[in-house]
Amino acid sequence: MAIFSVYVVNKAGGLIYQHDSYAPRAEAEKTFSYPLDLLLKLHDERVLVAFGQRDGIRVGHAVLAINGTDVNGKYTADGKEVLEYLGNPANYPVSIRFGRPRLTSNEKLMLASMFHSLFAIGSQLSPEQGSSGIEMLETDTFKLHCFQTLTGIKFVVLADPRQAGIDSLLRKIYEIYSDFALKNPFYSLEMPIRCELFDQNLKLALEVAEKAGTFGPGS
Amino acid sequence: MSRPVPRRPEYHKINRDLLVLTYGALVAQLCKDYEKDEDVNKYLDKMGYGIGTRLVEDFLARSCVRRCHSYSEITHIIAEVAFKMYLGVTPSVTCNNSSKNEFSLILDKNPLSEFVEELPAGRSSLCYCNLLCGIIRGALEMVHLAVDVMFLQDRLKGDSVTEIGITFLKQPEKKKYRRRK
C-alpha cells in the first residue's frame, strides 16, 4: 500500500476525518514460557519492550495481543493488568503478539492540531505574502502532502516517497468532500465526517491513485 | 487555466424546469407560512446562506480559480464563472463607487424567475430570488469576506433589469496569518 493515511483537518485545527490504509507493520507473535526473557515496562498507557530482542521483536515494540485477544492499552481484554498477568507463572505458556504501536485516535487528534499550528507558523514565516503554507514534508520513509483550500480546510495525505500523482489525489479528495460530505444535508460543517458514501468514494479514489501513480510521471 | 475542469464520471442532467418549479414551490410555501414580506425575505436569505457555505467548496473544487487579489476580481469570478456554472447565465459587472467596494451584477435573464409574471398583490416588497443573495453572502463568508448582498433592481417589481448589489464590508481588525481570497 503506497498511500498510508488521509487526514482532513477543519478550519479550527480539529481532525474531522482520518483513514489509514497501510498494511500492518512488522508484527511478531511468539509463545513464551516463564520467565519472560524480554523486559517490559509501562509507558504512556502501553506495555513496551524496554530491553531484550529476539526473532523480530525489538525494543520499543508494544504488546498488541495476548493469546490471540487484543489488549486494551495496559489492560488485557478481561480487565487484568498486562504486567501483572505476565508476572504470574501460572498463566504460562502464553502467546504474545508484539509490534510497532499504532497511534490511538487521541494521538491522531493531537498530531492534526499540531500540524495545523505548524502550518500556520509556516505561512507566517514566508518572506512573500500570500504563501500557500506547507505543501510537503519529506522524510526517508514517507512524504506528507498537504493541500489547504481557500476556505481553510486542509487535506493531508501520507504516502510512499516514490508515489506520484498525490497532487491530483488531493484535488480529487476535495471534490469527494464537496460532494459526499457537504451535499449531505444532515452533515454539519466542521464536524467529524461520518458519511458512508464519503468513505467508499475516498477508498476508491485511493485505489485509483495508487495504480496510476506507479506508472505515471510525477505531478 | 490549462487544466480542464474535472467532471464527475456520470454527469446526470436534470431538467432545469424542475429546479424552477421547486424554487417556486419553496417561495409559495414561505408566503403561505409568513405574513410579512420581510420574514419571507429573511428566511430565503438564511436558506441561501446555508447553501452558499456548502456550494463554495464545490465551486472551488471544480473551477480551479486561484486566489483573487481585489474585490473587482472576485466579483468578476462570481459573475463569469460561478453564475455560468450554476445558473447558465453571465451577469455583467459594474462598479458602483470610487472606493471599489460596491459592485452590481446585472442580470437580463434570471432563470429562477423566468415564469413569474409579477408579484401577487400585497407582496410588493418580496424579493423573489433572495436565495441568491444568501448564497453569495454565505459563499463569500467562507472565504473570509464579509459582504452585504441585496437586490437593487428587480424585474418583478417593474424595473428593466435585475440588479444584485454586493458591498464588501471592512473586516474587523483581527490578526490573520494568511491572506485568503
Side-chain angles (χ1 to χ4, degrees):
Chain A
M1 283 284 180
I3 295 179
F4 303 133
S5 340
V6 178
Y7 292 75
V8 181
V9 182
N10 70 9
K11 291 183 231 220
L15 187 66
I16 56 175
Y17 183 78
Q18 203 280 321
H19 171 76
D20 287 324
S21 61
Y22 43 74
R25 300 112 171 249
E27 287 180 357
E29 183 151 16
K30 295 268 174 294
T31 314
F32 297 88
S33 54
Y34 191 80
L36 202 56
D37 53 355
L38 301 162
L39 180 63
L40 300 176
K41 71 165 190 229
L42 188 62
H43 176 73
D44 254 359
E45 294 299 312
R46 285 200 194 103
V47 180
L48 303 181
V49 175
F51 188 78
Q53 178 179 309
R54 76 176 238 192
D55 297 329
I57 302 170
R58 301 255 178 288
V59 172
H61 279 197
V63 172
L64 296 178
I66 292 185
N67 290 332
T69 39
D70 287 340
V71 301
N72 188 1
K74 60 180 187 180
Y75 298 102
T76 65
D78 342 319
K80 295 198 272 285
E81 282 210 26
V82 170
L83 286 176
E84 218 179 282
Y85 185 84
L86 292 176
N88 186 352
N91 295 320
Y92 285 79
V94 70
S95 152
I96 314 178
R97 176 152 38 104
F98 288 93
R100 266 196 72 197
R102 300 264 173 88
L103 289 171
T104 64
S105 26
N106 271 344
E107 285 171 346
K108 287 177 188 164
L109 265 162
M110 250 178 23
L111 289 173
S113 316
M114 258 192 262
F115 181 73
H116 172 85
S117 313
L118 286 174
F119 189 98
I121 294 173
S123 311
Q124 276 182 319
L125 284 174
S126 165
E128 300 270 327
Q129 208 179 23
S131 160
S132 72
I134 297 177
E135 283 184 350
M136 180 152 70
L137 208 106
E138 206 175 318
T139 72
D140 56 349
T141 45
F142 72 91
K143 262 191 197 169
L144 181 151
H145 301 252
C146 176
F147 168 55
Q148 175 166 286
T149 67
L150 290 167
T151 51
I153 309 259
K154 283 185 259 303
F155 297 95
V156 177
V157 168
L158 270 73
D160 192 285
R162 294 153 299 175
Q163 178 74 30
I166 301 288
D167 251 5
S168 47
L169 173 66
L170 284 168
R171 304 275 180 291
K172 184 88 183 83
I173 298 179
Y174 187 24
E175 272 177 43
I176 296 176
Y177 168 75
S178 78
D179 277 342
F180 298 103
L182 292 184
K183 290 187 185 137
N184 179 347
F186 304 115
Y187 166 69
S188 339
L189 285 164
E190 311 291 295
M191 290 289 120
I193 302 176
R194 305 229 183 283
C195 311
E196 240 337 290
L197 286 172
F198 179 76
D199 277 337
Q200 287 170 7
N201 281 274
L202 184 74
K203 290 189 182 111
L204 259 164
L206 290 178
E207 277 169 32
V208 168
E210 271 180 22
K211 292 201 185 80
T214 43
F215 304 121
S219 90
Chain B
M1 300 286 137
S2 54
R3 204 168 153 257
V5 176
R7 280 262 193 251
R8 264 163 276 176
E10 334 87 44
Y11 187 59
H12 302 297
K13 282 204 191 305
I14 295 188
N15 193 327
R16 95 180 188 173
D17 285 347
L18 182 59
L19 172 68
V20 176
L21 279 169
T22 308
Y23 188 72
L26 178 74
V27 179
Q29 186 61 43
L30 279 175
C31 288
K32 278 199 203 105
D33 290 340
Y34 299 104
E35 282 281 331
K36 299 211 277 215
D37 293 344
E38 297 81 53
D39 285 342
V40 179
N41 289 343
K42 183 177 78 165
Y43 286 110
L44 277 173
D45 187 83
K46 220 166 149 187
M47 283 192 277
Y49 180 82
I51 295 176
T53 53
R54 292 161 185 261
L55 200 65
V56 68
E57 307 268 13
D58 182 76
F59 172 66
L60 291 173
R62 283 173 214 289
S63 68
C64 324
V65 291
R66 296 263 179 268
R67 208 173 309 154
C68 293
H69 299 286
S70 70
Y71 294 143
S72 158
E73 225 178 303
I74 295 171
T75 319
H76 275 96
I77 300 248
I78 296 178
E80 286 149 26
V81 189
F83 264 81
K84 185 98 184 48
M85 211 186 218
Y86 293 109
L87 284 176
V89 290
T90 311
S92 50
V93 179
T94 61
C95 180
N96 289 349
N97 74 345
S98 54
S99 60
K100 296 271 179 228
N101 68 334
E102 283 179 26
F103 295 87
S104 289
L105 298 171
I106 312 217
L107 282 157
D108 321 306
K109 228 171 59 98
N110 183 352
L112 289 177
S113 58
E114 215 175 302
F115 302 120
V116 183
E117 266 188 28
E118 57 176 19
L119 293 171
R123 289 279 179 198
S124 52
S125 56
L126 175 70
C127 294
Y128 186 78
C129 291
N130 219 29
L131 198 84
L132 291 178
C133 294
I135 292 179
I136 297 175
R137 187 170 66 90
L140 287 173
E141 193 165 306
M142 291 299 271
V143 286
H144 308 271
L145 285 164
V147 288
D148 242 343
V149 190
M150 68 200 88
F151 273 91
L152 298 174
Q153 289 188 75
D154 197 345
R155 216 189 221 131
L156 292 175
K157 293 183 186 152
D159 302 312
S160 49
V161 289
T162 307
E163 187 178 340
I164 302 179
I166 304 180
T167 309
F168 290 89
L169 305 171
K170 182 143 187 9
Q171 298 279 14
E173 270 315 307
K174 58 176 177 178
K175 194 137 200 320
K176 281 197 181 173
Y177 60 81
R178 61 187 293 260
R179 270 191 63 185
R180 300 208 192 276
K181 201 171 169 185

